[in-house]
Amino acid sequence: MKRREGLAKLMGREAYVDDLTVADCLWGATVRSSCARGRIREVRFGEGFDWGEFVVVDHRDLPGENVIALIETDQPVLAAEAVRHVHEAVVLLAHADRDLLRRAVEAVEVVVEEEPPIFDFRQPPEPAQIQHGNDNVFKELKIEKGDVDKALAKAPVVVEGVFTTGAQEHVYLETQGMLAWVEDGVVTVKGSMQCPYYVQKALKLALGREDHEVRVVQAPTGGGFGGKEEFPSGIALHAALLALKAGKPVKLIYERGEDMVATTKRHPSWIRHRTAVDTKGRLLAQDIEVVLDAGAYATLSSVVLSRAVIHAAGPYHCENVRIRGRAVLTNAVPFGAFRGFGAPQSLFACERQMDRIASELTLDPVRIRRRNLIRDGEETATGQVITDGTDRLKVLDRALELSSFQHKRRAYLDFNDTHPYLRRGVGLATFLHGAGFTGSGEVYLASEVHVAGLADGKVEVRTANTEMGQGTQTVFTQLVTDRLGLKAEDVVIAEPDTARVPDSGPTVASRTTMVVGGLIEKACDDLRRRLGLGNEERGEVLTAALALWHRQHPGEELLGTAHYEPPDGIHWDDANYRGEAYGAFAWATYVAAVEVDLRTYTARVLDFVAVQEIGKVLHEVLARGQIQGGVVQGIGWALLEDFRFKDGAMANGQLTNYIIPTSDDVPPIRVAFLENPYAHGAQGAKGIGELPMDGPAPAIVNAVAAATGADPCTIPLTPERMMSVLEAREVAR
Amino acid sequence: MTMLFPSDLEEACEMLAASDGKAVPLAGGTDLLVHWPQRFEDHGRTFLDLSQLAELRAIRWSDSALILGGGVTYWQTLGDRAVCDAFPLLEKAGRQVGAVQIQARGTWAGNIVNASPAADGVPVLMAYDAVVELVSTQGEEEIPLSEFYLGYKQMRRRPNQLVRAVRLPRRRHDVEVFEKIGPRRAQAITKLGFAATHSAAGWRVVANSMAPTVCRCRTLEGMLEHGSPIRRPEDLMPAIRQDVSPIDDIRSTAQYRQKVFSRTLFHALFSDEK
């Protein structure tokens, strides 16, 4: 099927929020804290401006609670008494002249009496630095199985390792932006977002309004990667507050620099493994500690931590596992949702550790994985028995074969012996990614989907799930045409607008195709049932029945509906972190070939192979694109994207100094899929959006280790870090 | 913001003089217009547009030199086979400045007078012994590029002077090397770089992002002239420490810059591996 949402983007015709023109619209802007922590004493409006011309909003203008509704209620819409991080929003301004507005923002000074901030999430806080509970810990989680201490004490070999990963900026092409206006008493916001109903929930609480008094519409969105999961709630509120006070539409668009410094990032992590193995490399015990820097507010850190700890033991079977995790407050910009959601961090540590164990035992890194990969009937760390029938060894073998792993390894030994300054190596990572919300998450979401049968014989798919580059509209269309035997032009995808579409849950967690797609199929069946048709009736029969129904029911609406119901056999104990963490896992093996230049300490990825079992490939071009894009983002995180902090804020918040890969930094990325249909996903599909973020970093760094004999455990592995790591090992000739 | 549009070079000089040197000459704008919405302090300034002056856009040859007009872009030289054949480092460096869009607008002379220590165009010009031809209502002046910079962002161009041309002597070179080490393979600001040439005029080694200005490395040049024995990159470090003074900044560290300078230079010029 041709991509439905592609052409307008390709031709530059798609109207993103910044392209929308509204009569009599003001520009909005944000005045931020320049201090990491303290009490707000005063807001000074500088000379040289007629402040009466500006719309000025602060926390006193909030009709409802000063809270951005999310899991916790700790984050204010606008800082009132205190600030907790640099660039925290304090005051909002609006004016018709955008240039004047930019200058005005510079002329407003937030005077803060400083209090002691904390920036190092690995250190216990001093009493004066405590800002949450009695230890600054937002969330603590523990998974335990078997007797880890006993196994560690008895084991012939124990390998220890500490791994750290940096923050990462999403760098979506379109920066955050929101347009707000009031229409017939309804506060309406339209903008760049992943989750319209999250935004609606936040608007209701902070504006003190009911469902029907707030309306949220997703504008075409230029990339999200998690960065538009929770953050848009705040900026939507800012735009809405300005519009309410101004009595005019207000457009609030972040410029790139502001977007980079003020929005959420991937959580930095510190992870320690103590692994007990026998001399053949069989895992006897995994003792894992995961610490995440949560930043200044709780945001989604508790669920990011949850995914991090659940994935921390990797795709392996081990009788004795203990995983302890905590997410800790610092006075950094709040860290939030980012593709992979904690799993990339813990899988980087896990897969580096597997190679380090292999090296310690002088075992083949392939063999140690082959020995420990989970087999059907065996349990994960949470006690989930894997019975999906996927041949995980076949996934591994396919990746080895496609990448010519063994051949490359031999050839590179010769190359490395003769080349004066280049060193080549191959590395792999085997991993899993749980699709959809964790544990009982999908039950709480209680997603609903509508498929409307229209009088003109078309059907309209109504969900709150958003297209942001992944091809949602194409896949949804394909699911309907396959199910109902219609042509693509007979399927309309409704604009995600809370006034028109039901809450089908957020566009996150690799759930859109698998979960929402499955609901679309059910809603199609329900539509047929309401037409009195059997499930085998398709195409023209259906179109005729629709026309007949509408003749018989003039002016009425015909809706096929579906509500989420959990698959049988899913039990999750949230208190003890035991049970079925996910309905399904995708399984993968990634292989990277890397060349390290000993003159410049630069690693370059020469070749990349990504093999995964994802249930069912619905649209191969889109699926391949998701994988390749994720691998590129993973290469950036592994080697280039060095997030620099100053007082907890991003010091290199410019695209000239925060380095993402260009096409020239990316090797050929060869993608292969294995299929083993998942009974509860649309057409058998499992999620794939986040999976490709997990594998690149460990595969690449394992390849660097193989190439150089060094032991890098920190990413991004920038040339400067590589220099230290190589000097520690002194392999240079 | 005020824009002045001279119709020829003479008028440009007059406008610049009339502004008391306060007008800012603007050619490609690839430095001056970056982050324009946020550059409040520049919004009230007067700019002198040089981009339409045909006489500055010419690439000419004399018996003894290549003469690049003050408005010649990277893209122009990249498309000129004779230039690329005679001065291959201009091609090598030009291709590594930004991307095509920047190469199409950015000028060699602009790269010189922007006076950034990280300039990618300047090292190769300096390694070819370029001479900067300045002009003003007061007359003409020529300054060797290697003597052009006085300190960080400080140069011998006076505010009323424009770069009329950059002149490169025609010589036979038996060594021509340019290395740009950036944080990624394209579209990046240089962490460190160098150009090196050898001709009858001797060795030239020019480093960028290693000191407050792009500069010649006279000690290294001396070692090359004397054929001092260099067996390992480490043997270059004393000379490097004399010639340059890199710093820790947002893009890299002093230690990395020195070390990688020694290693890339060693493998380019001293090692017998080739």
Side-chain angles (χ1 to χ4, degrees):
Chain A
M1 174 171 294
K2 272 195 198 162
R3 186 163 179 172
R4 297 195 82 180
E5 60 280 84
L7 196 61
K9 289 177 176 172
L10 193 65
M11 304 296 285
R13 289 198 305 261
E14 192 78 283
Y16 297 87
V17 60
D18 198 21
D19 303 316
L20 304 176
T21 48
V22 187
D24 205 20
C25 184
L26 303 183
W27 290 99
T30 314
V31 176
R32 301 175 181 282
S33 164
S34 54
C35 172
R37 185 190 173 204
R39 319 295 300 174
I40 298 174
R41 286 296 168 231
E42 193 189 344
V43 177
R44 287 187 194 141
F45 291 82
E47 288 175 14
F49 291 87
D50 179 358
W51 293 105
E53 279 185 6
F54 289 81
V55 182
V56 181
V57 163
D58 68 16
H59 67 98
R60 293 167 298 186
D61 293 295
L62 276 151
E65 288 182 48
N66 188 8
V67 164
I68 301 176
L70 202 62
I71 297 169
E72 305 289 333
T73 55
D74 61 336
Q75 188 172 15
V77 180
L78 291 167
E81 283 95 39
V83 290
R84 271 202 199 163
H85 65 91
V86 173
H87 302 310
E88 182 163 5
V90 183
V91 173
L92 306 167
L93 303 176
H95 196 282
D97 181 342
R98 196 180 191 184
D99 197 40
L100 186 69
L101 186 66
R102 286 191 182 106
R103 292 160 189 265
V105 168
E106 300 292 312
V108 183
E109 187 193 356
V110 181
V111 183
V112 175
E113 184 185 323
E114 291 187 33
E115 294 177 313
I118 182 160
F119 297 124
D120 187 347
F121 68 104
R122 295 162 300 186
Q123 296 297 323
E126 301 290 329
Q129 294 173 316
I130 290 174
Q131 295 152 71
H132 180 88
N134 52 20
D135 54 6
N136 280 349
V137 175
F138 278 126
K139 182 78 177 178
E140 221 164 348
L141 290 172
K142 189 172 177 183
I143 294 171
E144 192 149 23
K145 175 172 104 167
D147 191 337
V148 170
D149 291 324
K150 194 169 145 197
L152 281 167
K154 280 188 3 189
V157 182
V158 174
V159 180
E160 295 201 18
V162 171
F163 310 88
T164 54
T165 67
Q168 188 180 22
E169 158 60 24
H170 305 85
V171 203
Y172 24 66
L173 270 180
E174 182 207 20
T175 57
Q176 305 269 355
M178 212 62 78
L179 174 65
W181 69 95
V182 184
E183 195 173 342
D184 303 327
V186 178
V187 172
T188 305
V189 297
K190 183 168 186 175
S192 191
M193 66 182 78
Q194 294 176 223
C195 314
Y197 275 94
Y198 280 11
V199 175
Q200 195 205 32
K201 181 181 166 192
L203 289 173
K204 279 159 53 185
L205 181 70
L207 301 182
R209 286 173 167 249
E210 300 296 324
D211 272 337
H212 64 276
E213 296 171 310
V214 287
R215 177 180 162 209
V216 179
V217 188
Q218 184 228 5
T221 296
F225 311 111
K228 292 169 184 169
E229 176 172 353
E230 76 276 28
F231 192 86
S233 297
I235 182 171
L237 271 162
H238 293 168
L241 286 166
L242 284 167
L244 278 165
K245 191 152 185 181
K248 287 181 180 181
V250 172
K251 202 194 256 191
L252 185 50
I253 308 283
Y254 284 4
E255 283 164 291
R256 179 63 66 184
E258 180 179 26
D259 193 294
M260 291 183 87
V261 299
T263 67
T264 51
K265 317 284 162 218
R266 182 184 300 286
H267 291 70
S269 77
W270 178 95
I271 298 170
R272 189 175 64 186
H273 275 248
R274 284 198 301 158
T275 317
V277 285
D278 68 17
T279 50
K280 292 184 171 159
R282 179 170 295 282
L283 296 174
L284 301 174
Q286 294 170 287
D287 187 14
I288 305 168
E289 191 183 351
V290 178
V291 187
L292 298 181
D293 185 348
Y297 292 104
T299 69
L300 297 165
S301 294
S302 57
V303 275
V304 172
L305 180 69
S306 163
R307 194 172 275 274
V309 296
I310 290 170
H311 288 77
Y316 306 112
H317 173 71
C318 181
E319 295 288 345
N320 306 292
V321 182
R322 178 169 58 213
I323 304 163
R324 286 169 294 191
R326 57 185 197 277
V328 182
L329 175 146
T330 63
N331 295 99
V333 61
F335 298 100
F338 196 143
R339 192 180 206 168
F341 214 70
Q345 291 93 319
S346 59
L347 285 165
F348 169 72
C350 176
E351 284 304 285
R352 266 306 286 139
Q353 176 74 348
M354 290 304 278
D355 264 37
R356 296 175 74 256
I357 295 166
S359 158
E360 180 85 22
L361 299 174
T362 54
L363 280 177
D364 183 333
V366 174
R367 183 172 294 174
I368 191 171
R369 287 175 171 84
R370 212 183 276 289
R371 182 156 291 152
N372 290 290
L373 271 175
I374 205 160
R375 266 75 166 175
D376 260 30
E378 292 178 335
E379 282 182 4
T380 67
T382 65
Q384 177 166 4
V385 181
I386 298 297
T387 55
D388 61 11
T390 292
D391 187 344
R392 282 162 284 276
L393 293 175
K394 201 168 149 193
V395 176
L396 170 63
D397 286 332
R398 184 88 181 96
L400 297 174
E401 177 198 327
L402 254 185
S403 62
S404 310
F405 188 88
Q406 302 297 0
H407 168 77
K408 277 202 181 88
R409 210 154 51 161
R410 282 191 299 273
Y412 287 174
L413 285 178
D414 292 340
F415 178 89
N416 292 345
D417 271 346
T418 51
H419 200 281
Y421 52 79
L422 297 178
R423 297 289 177 272
R424 290 181 178 170
V426 273
L428 82 160
T430 49
F431 57 102
L432 75 176
H433 196 96
F437 266 46
T438 306
S440 323
E442 291 290 346
V443 176
Y444 293 124
L445 282 176
S447 296
E448 183 178 352
V449 162
H450 296 169
V451 173
L454 308 178
D456 59 4
K458 294 184 178 180
V459 298
E460 184 180 49
V461 181
R462 296 180 188 167
T463 79
N465 293 93
T466 51
E467 153 63 21
M468 49 181 161
Q470 32 1 356
T472 303
Q473 296 177 6
T474 305
V475 168
F476 282 1
T477 303
Q478 185 182 321
L479 288 171
V480 175
T481 56
D482 287 357
R483 198 72 167 188
L484 298 178
L486 298 173
K487 297 195 196 77
E489 57 264 33
D490 292 328
V491 180
V492 181
I493 307 294
E495 181 180 55
D497 174 348
T498 57
R500 281 200 78 232
V501 302
D503 185 357
S504 57
T507 305
V508 303
S510 314
R511 67 185 291 278
T512 302
T513 298
M514 181 179 92
V515 177
V516 183
L519 291 174
I520 289 172
E521 292 184 322
K522 279 197 211 167
C524 285
D525 294 347
D526 186 52
L527 180 70
R528 253 188 307 228
R529 194 156 46 241
R530 285 168 197 263
L531 287 166
L533 301 176
N535 272 356
E536 69 287 356
E537 301 289 1
R538 302 159 52 84
E540 285 168 14
V541 177
L542 186 89
T543 313
L546 275 176
L548 178 64
W549 190 93
H550 279 282
R551 277 198 300 278
Q552 290 169 344
H553 304 82
E556 290 181 42
E557 190 170 61
L558 175 65
L559 282 187
T561 65
H563 295 84
Y564 179 79
E565 283 164 26
D568 289 339
I570 296 278
H571 304 287
W572 177 247
D573 174 356
D574 203 45
N576 298 303
Y577 262 59
R578 300 287 300 162
E580 280 66 47
Y582 299 97
F585 291 97
W587 307 94
T589 300
Y590 285 8
V591 176
V594 165
E595 180 177 278
V596 179
D597 187 332
L598 298 179
R599 296 172 307 166
T600 60
Y601 305 102
T602 306
R604 179 183 172 196
V605 185
L606 299 174
D607 184 35
F608 202 96
V609 164
V611 177
Q612 44 265 305
E613 189 279 296
I614 60 164
K616 169 94 176 131
V617 179
L618 296 194
H619 192 297
E620 188 158 359
V621 173
L622 289 177
R624 190 181 299 277
Q626 279 275 35
I627 301 300
Q628 289 176 329
V631 170
V632 174
Q633 211 158 26
I635 290 172
W637 187 52
L639 296 176
L640 301 173
E641 299 185 37
D642 193 17
F643 192 103
R644 304 290 190 84
F645 290 98
K646 183 174 183 292
D647 296 336
M650 188 178 193
N652 51 341
Q654 315 91 23
L655 289 175
T656 42
N657 290 323
Y658 182 80
I659 303 299
I660 61 170
T662 67
S663 53
D664 202 26
D665 299 285
V666 172
I669 299 167
R670 297 183 283 142
V671 178
F673 296 107
L674 280 77
E675 296 186 321
N676 174 26
Y678 168 51
H680 305 286
Q683 293 189 12
K686 301 189 280 199
I688 60 162
E690 297 170 288
L691 177 80
M693 190 69 220
D694 297 340
I700 289 165
V701 178
N702 284 339
V704 169
T708 59
D711 182 24
C713 291
T714 294
I715 53 169
L717 188 52
T718 58
E720 288 77 4
R721 269 199 196 101
M722 182 88 78
M723 183 173 81
S724 325
V725 173
L726 289 183
E727 279 175 359
R729 187 54 63 104
E730 207 49 76
V731 291
R733 304 199 312 177
Chain B
M1 154 184 186
T2 308
M3 276 302 264
L4 303 175
F5 297 101
S7 49
D8 57 28
L9 186 57
E10 195 182 339
E11 193 187 1
C13 290
E14 284 162 10
M15 285 173 158
L16 198 53
S19 81
D20 207 12
K22 292 214 170 55
V24 184
L26 186 143
T30 57
D31 287 304
L32 293 172
L33 300 181
V34 176
H35 291 139
W36 179 257
Q38 279 81 36
R39 290 171 85 140
F40 306 125
E41 71 280 12
D42 290 342
H43 292 189
R45 295 175 78 173
T46 298
F47 292 87
L48 178 69
D49 178 36
L50 303 177
S51 65
Q52 302 307 310
L53 302 184
E55 58 203 293
L56 291 183
R57 295 294 292 259
I59 296 176
R60 293 183 295 123
W61 294 89
S62 72
D63 287 345
S64 61
L66 164 68
I67 301 153
L68 300 174
V72 170
T73 63
Y74 303 107
W75 194 246
Q76 270 179 279
T77 46
L78 291 175
D80 189 318
R81 204 57 258 164
V83 171
C84 293
D85 286 345
F87 296 94
L89 295 187
L90 295 189
E91 179 177 15
K92 213 167 173 199
R95 284 203 192 287
Q96 294 196 50
V97 175
V100 171
Q101 294 90 332
I102 299 291
Q103 291 162 15
R105 288 201 62 87
T107 63
W108 293 95
N111 200 229
I112 292 173
V113 297
N114 186 53
S116 164
D120 287 322
V122 176
V124 294
L125 295 174
M126 209 183 274
Y128 283 133
D129 274 353
V131 173
V132 185
E133 298 181 7
L134 297 163
V135 62
S136 72
T137 51
Q138 313 280 302
E140 297 172 5
E141 187 181 3
E142 294 192 352
I143 303 171
L145 183 56
S146 59
E147 296 163 24
F148 190 72
Y149 298 113
L150 302 168
Y152 179 70
K153 290 268 181 187
Q154 301 290 310
M155 59 188 151
R156 288 172 59 188
R157 178 184 93 82
R158 290 191 301 277
N160 67 343
Q161 288 178 314
L162 292 172
V163 179
R164 185 181 62 194
V166 182
R167 200 174 69 226
L168 278 64
R170 298 172 81 160
R171 289 180 187 143
R172 188 184 305 276
H173 294 94
D174 55 1
V175 175
E176 287 162 292
V177 178
F178 171 74
E179 293 280 355
K180 165 174 171 156
I181 290 110
R184 65 183 163 207
R185 291 170 58 81
Q187 295 234 59
I189 297 176
T190 300
K191 286 182 182 181
L192 72 136
F194 66 88
T197 59
H198 182 256
S199 69
W203 281 94
R204 301 288 181 269
V205 178
V206 182
N208 62 336
S209 287
M210 292 291 286
T213 71
V214 179
C215 63
R216 274 180 62 179
C217 301
R218 310 265 179 182
T219 319
L220 286 167
E221 289 175 2
M223 288 173 73
L224 284 156
E225 293 299 347
H226 295 115
S228 312
I230 299 294
R231 292 187 184 84
R232 306 172 304 150
E234 291 73 22
D235 298 342
L236 293 168
M237 285 305 259
I240 288 172
R241 285 196 198 97
Q242 278 204 314
D243 285 335
V244 291
S245 50
I247 56 167
D248 290 347
D249 64 12
I250 195 102
R251 300 193 186 109
S252 191
T253 64
Q255 201 200 356
Y256 176 85
R257 288 174 157 128
Q258 279 191 349
K259 240 183 138 143
V260 172
F261 188 31
S262 75
R263 294 164 89 91
T264 44
L265 198 62
F266 174 81
H267 285 286
L269 298 182
F270 295 92
S271 138
D272 52 7
E273 68 211 21
K274 282 183 295 257

